[in-house]
Amino acid sequence: MWKIPTLSLQTQQAFVVDELREYVSDASEMICDGATVAFPTETVYGLGADARNSDAVAQIFAAKGRPADNPLIVHIASQEQLGSFVMGVNEWEQQLIDQFWPGPLTLILPVKADALSPLVTAGLTTVGVRIPEHPVALALLAECNVPVAAPSANRSGKPSPTQAKHVWEDLHGRINGIVDGGAANVGVESTVVEVVDDMLYILRPGGITSEQLQAALPQAKIRFSKQSDKDAPKSPGVKYAHYAPNGQLQLVTGATSEEVVAFINKSVVQARKHGEKTAVLAYSEMLPFYKADRCFDIGARNNPEQGAQQLYDVLRQCDAQGIDRIWAEYPPEGGLHEALRNRLFKAAAAHLIDLS
Ligand code: TXA
Ligand code: MG
């Protein structure tokens, strides 16, 4: 068990709690008292507050600098808690719950009027809900026994936090506590889905893949919901810049990996002429071929799980090392690669170069 740096509710001073039970109790008490506490989940760290308490939820938006029209995901420890704030669950939704909870799947469900702070839902008639699969999160949520609103615990627009120190970097002094449960196992956020008639819309790709969803619901038509898709449900968060490092990130894809390497190395030479510090995010097998100031290994190309675990930390390392220009190999389609493509595309503000 790591030492757990926490900020006390009363003093805002750092202190250390080294017993898991003690710190979970502390954090749960703080949340019930209307404080904001960051805690680990299997995807990324969340910044939690009592979802029924508008003052507490307002502190989440203030600490993150999050636009008020971007609703928050609500976290619970057990399905029994759903009834207190959700109108109902249909057959497909129940099948998804049975199959994927606890886990990295967020369902958009109809919310009961006045059951949650209107800030959580940003005025929508639906709410995003999940049961996370992390022992610390589950213990905390069970002890609070209230629905806990928890967006990723980063400053809005920055890479999400996969370690407690990332939360500290972004939110230290702005929130009331952090519980440190080590590095997040999945590393990218939950998949956000909405069932509409015979369609299952993926509003945000994440830890559960479309292939897994299709296997669970063979009769469903699955569609990735795009901002340009006028009939599809929207995730308000999708329109905002996200996950961005300070340096300029460019994604590169091509018919062959040699072509991609040649392009990136040429760009690195150019950038260095202008005195810029360069970095490349590359799959393990391609790493030796790059000539940037820093080359970050994001795992084997056929192992997107590794890439997901590394991505946000690597983007933060680029910032810590004052990198001006970053190039990344654009991941292939399918499976967990989709979540990586989505996060990288946003982090790069859509700067994608296709050489093929
Ligand atoms: O893995 C995760 O989901 C993490 C951990 C902490 O659980 N949480 C997370 O929350 O990523 P956040 O707030 O950073 O992202 C929530 C996303 C946003 O894109 C938001 O727009 C969307 O879910 N969302 C929330 N409620 C919604 C709703 N009622 N309808 C459509 N989209 C919604
Ligand atoms: Mg987020």
Side-chain angles (χ1 to χ4, degrees):
M1 191 60 221
W2 292 17
K3 293 271 185 191
I4 302 140
T6 316
L7 297 177
S8 93
L9 182 59
Q10 291 80 19
T11 63
Q12 302 256 332
Q13 296 297 307
F15 72 97
V16 172
V17 185
D18 57 8
E19 283 286 318
L20 174 69
R21 211 179 314 107
E22 200 180 323
Y23 94 79
V24 165
S25 294
D26 246 28
S28 125
E29 209 173 293
M30 287 164 78
I31 287 178
C32 289
D33 285 346
T36 51
V37 180
F39 62 91
T41 82
E42 80 282 31
T43 57
V44 299
Y45 276 70
L47 177 58
D50 181 346
R52 306 162 314 166
N53 179 337
S54 284
D55 290 341
V57 174
Q59 289 179 49
I60 292 183
F61 282 92
K64 281 181 61 79
R66 184 176 175 109
D69 66 349
N70 192 3
L72 308 180
I73 293 176
V74 169
H75 297 67
I76 50 176
S78 73
Q79 279 190 54
E80 289 68 55
Q81 289 175 277
L82 267 183
S84 71
F85 62 97
V86 159
M87 304 252 269
V89 167
N90 68 28
E91 200 186 317
W92 284 11
E93 290 158 350
Q94 188 59 52
Q95 275 174 258
L96 293 174
I97 288 172
D98 292 342
Q99 178 113 17
F100 296 110
W101 283 4
L105 183 73
T106 295
L107 282 169
I108 304 297
L109 298 170
V111 68
K112 276 187 181 165
D114 303 325
L116 299 175
S117 160
L119 300 178
V120 169
T121 54
L124 299 174
T125 55
T126 53
V127 60
V129 195
R130 78 182 192 101
I131 300 183
E133 187 174 26
H134 190 290
V136 172
L138 286 171
L140 174 63
L141 295 166
E143 194 162 334
C144 295
N145 201 27
V146 297
V148 172
S152 50
N154 51 292
R155 286 284 287 171
S156 223
K158 289 277 124 200
S160 299
T162 51
Q163 301 174 30
K165 72 171 185 199
H166 299 159
V167 181
W168 181 271
E169 284 162 12
D170 274 20
L171 299 180
H172 156 69
R174 297 175 165 268
I175 62 176
N176 301 120
I178 305 171
V179 287
D180 186 342
N185 181 37
V186 177
V188 289
E189 296 87 340
S190 61
T191 304
V192 179
V193 298
E194 183 166 359
V195 176
V196 182
D197 304 322
D198 63 344
M199 304 285 301
L200 180 70
Y201 287 98
I202 298 180
L203 307 190
R204 177 179 73 181
I208 298 292
T209 66
S210 67
E211 292 84 351
Q212 287 174 287
L213 293 166
Q214 190 71 81
L217 285 181
Q219 56 301 34
K221 287 185 211 145
I222 296 186
R223 206 199 285 175
F224 286 91
S225 172
K226 303 259 160 52
Q227 281 303 91
S228 54
D229 185 347
K230 72 173 173 27
D231 298 323
K234 304 272 187 284
S235 195
V238 170
K239 65 177 179 284
Y240 293 107
H242 270 312
Y243 322 113
N246 297 331
Q248 194 196 84
L249 171 62
Q250 218 165 46
L251 310 176
V252 187
T253 186
T256 65
S257 30
E258 288 75 19
E259 192 178 32
V260 171
V261 169
F263 175 87
I264 291 180
N265 281 339
K266 208 171 115 199
S267 308
V268 164
V269 171
Q270 292 282 325
R272 277 189 166 156
K273 278 190 194 149
H274 298 111
E276 290 175 316
K277 200 167 171 190
T278 58
V280 174
L281 275 51
Y283 290 113
S284 313
E285 50 272 44
M286 301 312 296
L287 209 62
F289 301 106
Y290 287 108
K291 302 197 158 49
D293 298 311
R294 278 302 316 267
C295 295
F296 292 100
D297 186 349
I298 60 157
R301 190 178 163 92
N302 64 5
N303 190 348
E305 286 76 14
Q306 278 181 325
Q309 284 167 352
Q310 301 292 332
L311 179 65
Y312 292 136
D313 183 54
V314 163
L315 292 175
R316 281 175 179 268
Q317 284 190 49
C318 287
D319 286 352
Q321 295 179 23
I323 304 289
D324 303 298
R325 300 288 306 275
I326 309 161
W327 288 267
E329 299 176 4
Y330 195 47
E333 289 179 1
L336 190 61
H337 292 298
E338 291 296 338
L340 290 168
R341 286 163 70 92
N342 172 274
R343 303 308 188 273
L344 279 166
F345 195 72
K346 289 183 176 187
H351 288 126
L352 170 64
I353 293 165
D354 189 348
L355 303 169
S356 57

